[in-house]
């Protein structure tokens, strides 16, 4: 069985544990809670988060990874969360093997915990903590082509029971959230992205040139939250896409996408 690859929005900080943030994330919660039932049961999850960048693609190798509370200004109890999924040194080694075979130099990290782009959505979707999780970094420079190639190299994992999950936000302008300003640009980019993903033969070229899209730079002043999508699309090849969520998070349009499966 070839697993689908999935790109999700992860929302703002530790939102599932912050009562005041429930309503702005209501659609996202419903989507994430329903996600596992829409997929085959994975043997492990490889998550690519917007919140980790390294000089070369780097994987977590801890057998029991901790959590990295990489956010600020939230209630004290959100810095003492207890969601703890196991890691998978074997999957980390397999990721490095595949990257090496594709001529991509990589590294490993034994101490870093899962950041909030990884553990927050996973805690909503897989609260039982019974599926091993490995995190893979982005690459400094945020070059779309490099991340598409990174995903292409990882595609064999789809035949090995691994869910490759990209966690970001298809809109991420911190000054634009909760503000009516920029709504037209955000909607234009959301539509462009949905249309571009739906054209498998042109998808890679479109994604490489995302910054020239309508509303592109307004939606992503810095593109780290879009780059996990490049990895997911790279692993998907020319598989068809389903836009599995189209809604609002923190007042701006966002989408989730599933390729293949």
């Amino acid at each position: 069985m070839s697993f689908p690859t999935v790109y999700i929005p992860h929302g703002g900080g530790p939102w599932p544990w912050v009562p005041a943030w429930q309503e702005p994330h209501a659609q996202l919660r419903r989507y994430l809670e329903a996600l596992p039932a829409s997929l085959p049961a994975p043997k492990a999850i490889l998550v690519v988060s917007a919140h980790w960048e390294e000089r070369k693609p780097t994987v977590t190798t801890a057998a029991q990874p901790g959590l990295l509370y990489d956010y600020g200004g939230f209630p004290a109890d959100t810095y003492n969360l207890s969601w703890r999924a196991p890691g998978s040194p074997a999957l980390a080694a397999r990721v490095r093997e595949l990257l090496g075979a594709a001529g991509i130099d990589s590294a490993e990290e034994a101490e870093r915990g899962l950041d909030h782009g990884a553990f927050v959505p996973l805690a909503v979707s897989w609260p039982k903590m019974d599926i091993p999780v490995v995190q893979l970094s982005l690459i400094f420079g945020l070059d779309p082509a490099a991340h598409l190639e990174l995903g292409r190299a990882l595609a064999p994992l789809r035949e090995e029971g691994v869910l490759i999950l990209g966690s970001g936000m298809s809109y991420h302008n911190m000054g634009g959230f909760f503000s009516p300003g920029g709504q037209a640009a955000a909607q234009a980019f959301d539509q462009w992205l949905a249309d571009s993903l739906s054209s498998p033969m042109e998808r890679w070229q479109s994604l490489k040139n995302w910054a020239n899209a309508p509303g592109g730079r307004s939606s992503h002043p810095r593109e780290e939250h879009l780059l996990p999508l490049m990895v997911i699309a790279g692993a998907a090849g020319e598989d068809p896409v389903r836009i599995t969520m189209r809604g609002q998070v923190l007042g701006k349009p966002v989408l989730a996408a599933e390729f293949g499966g």
Side-chain angles (χ1 to χ4, degrees), residues 99-113:
L99 295 181
I104 300 173
D105 194 16
S106 67
E108 58 188 47
E109 170 57 62
E111 302 299 326
R112 189 182 193 276

Side-chain angles (χ1 to χ4, degrees), residues 202-218:
E202 302 171 4
R203 182 188 296 150
W204 279 35
Q205 192 59 39
S206 296
L207 291 175
K208 288 178 185 179
N209 295 314
W210 73 271
N212 296 319
R217 271 298 171 200
S218 176

Side-chain angles (χ1 to χ4, degrees), residues 17 24 30 37 48 51 70 111 123 128 131 146 158 160 198 214-215 229 238-239 244 250 259 261:
W17 298 275
R30 289 193 293 270
V48 184
H51 291 277
D70 56 333
E111 302 299 326
K128 293 183 179 179
I131 299 174
R158 299 178 60 195
E160 301 171 15
S198 299
L229 174 60
E238 295 182 358
D239 280 359
T244 48
L250 299 173
F259 301 85

Side-chain angles (χ1 to χ4, degrees), residues 16-17 29 32 83 118-129:
W17 298 275
R29 178 180 285 280
L32 290 174
W83 190 84
F119 80 79
V120 167
L122 292 177
V124 178
S125 294
W126 285 277
K128 293 183 179 179
M129 302 174 286

Side-chain angles (χ1 to χ4, degrees), residues 37-89:
S38 71
L39 301 170
K43 295 178 180 177
I45 298 172
L46 177 66
V47 58
V48 184
S49 163
H51 291 277
W52 187 19
E53 300 171 35
E54 295 286 353
R55 185 175 60 83
K56 61 182 73 173
T58 303
V59 288
T60 57
T61 59
Q64 295 292 330
L67 303 184
L68 180 61
Y69 307 118
D70 56 333
Y71 40 75
F74 289 94
D77 61 353
T78 63
Y79 299 89
N80 192 32
L81 301 172
S82 60
W83 190 84
R84 294 289 193 276
S88 176

